[in-house]
Amino acid sequence: MSRPSSFSLRGRKALVAIKDERDASIVRRQFERLGIEGVAWTPTEPVDFAPDLSLIDDEFLPLLQPAQRAFLARSPVIALLGTETPSRLKLVFELDPASFLIKPLRSAGIYAALVMAFERNERTSELKQQILKLEHRLKSRRVVLAAVLQIMHLHALAEPAAFALIRKTAMEQRKTIEELSAEITAKGMLPRAAG
């Protein structure tokens, strides 16, 4: 399944938490032009849908409830900054925003902030997936190493020969080296091919 383009915004749904009515009306108008449905939200209210994006005014910070922060972590967040003091920026960092806008808002810049937020969120998700895969491979390497050591000990082989034997057996049994290594460490020997 192909992912939607970060440049295509039509049909997306956004959670909008903006205090100033002038800023809120600019966002509403721009969202209408872009085909985004904006749902006004006050952080004390529950949310009964999964937004594609959240716009959070820094005047609502800090979000004290962990559930609110966890909820916002599921989609990209655009922070609306009114002041650039270190303390306010620190509160904004807690949201882990994908993009930001400076108040008072203007219609120019909103599209760019939206596209950047979606693109950054997508890239971050891809990086997280890669990290998970690498962590899994790293954990499985321990099992492979344990299996190699067992085969070295059982068959009096050097490490390259033991690994080659595991690789050859895995290919013959149509298993991954990691799967076969897990069987070796569980059984204490090379498993026989089924059938």
Side-chain angles (χ1 to χ4, degrees), residues 133-149 159 163 166-167 176-179 181-182 185:
K133 282 182 187 175
L134 290 172
E135 285 177 347
H136 177 73
R137 289 187 70 189
L138 184 62
K139 283 181 187 172
S140 66
R141 288 291 149 191
R142 290 185 204 141
V143 174
V144 172
L145 179 61
V148 167
L149 291 172
E159 183 267 332
F163 184 76
I166 291 171
R167 185 175 57 213
T176 65
I177 291 174
E178 290 81 7
E179 289 170 342
S181 296
T185 54

Side-chain angles (χ1 to χ4, degrees), residues 163-178:
F163 184 76
L165 179 60
I166 291 171
R167 185 175 57 213
K168 179 181 167 217
T169 306
M171 288 174 62
E172 288 170 356
Q173 296 184 12
R174 297 178 186 244
K175 296 176 181 174
T176 65
I177 291 174
E178 290 81 7

Side-chain angles (χ1 to χ4, degrees), residues 6-124:
S6 298
F7 295 94
S8 174
L9 305 176
R10 191 157 298 282
R12 304 224 193 201
K13 197 168 183 177
L15 196 64
V16 180
I18 301 177
K19 276 200 173 178
D20 182 77
E21 183 50 37
R22 182 192 160 279
D23 290 339
S25 70
I26 289 171
V27 167
R28 278 195 299 271
R29 275 197 313 270
Q30 197 65 3
F31 276 15
E32 269 184 43
R33 289 183 189 134
L34 296 170
I36 299 173
E37 180 186 351
V39 177
W41 178 61
T42 303
T44 54
E45 300 170 352
V47 180
D48 60 354
F49 70 100
D52 298 310
L53 172 89
S54 299
L55 262 77
I56 307 296
D57 194 323
D58 66 349
E59 290 185 40
F60 284 116
L61 302 178
L63 297 178
L64 298 176
Q65 297 177 7
Q68 292 173 326
R69 290 193 298 267
F71 174 77
L72 291 175
R74 293 187 216 146
S75 64
V77 173
I78 297 177
L80 306 180
L81 295 175
T83 59
E84 298 176 277
T85 61
S87 60
R88 184 59 61 98
L89 291 174
K90 188 175 177 184
L91 292 175
V92 170
F93 285 144
E94 289 178 7
L95 289 175
D96 191 22
S99 188
F100 69 92
L101 289 164
I102 301 293
K103 296 185 293 185
L105 289 178
R106 297 180 309 133
S107 58
I110 292 177
Y111 176 71
L114 291 166
V115 170
M116 288 180 70
F118 282 119
E119 190 62 29
R120 180 174 178 250
N121 189 59
E122 190 63 37
R123 291 180 185 194
T124 301

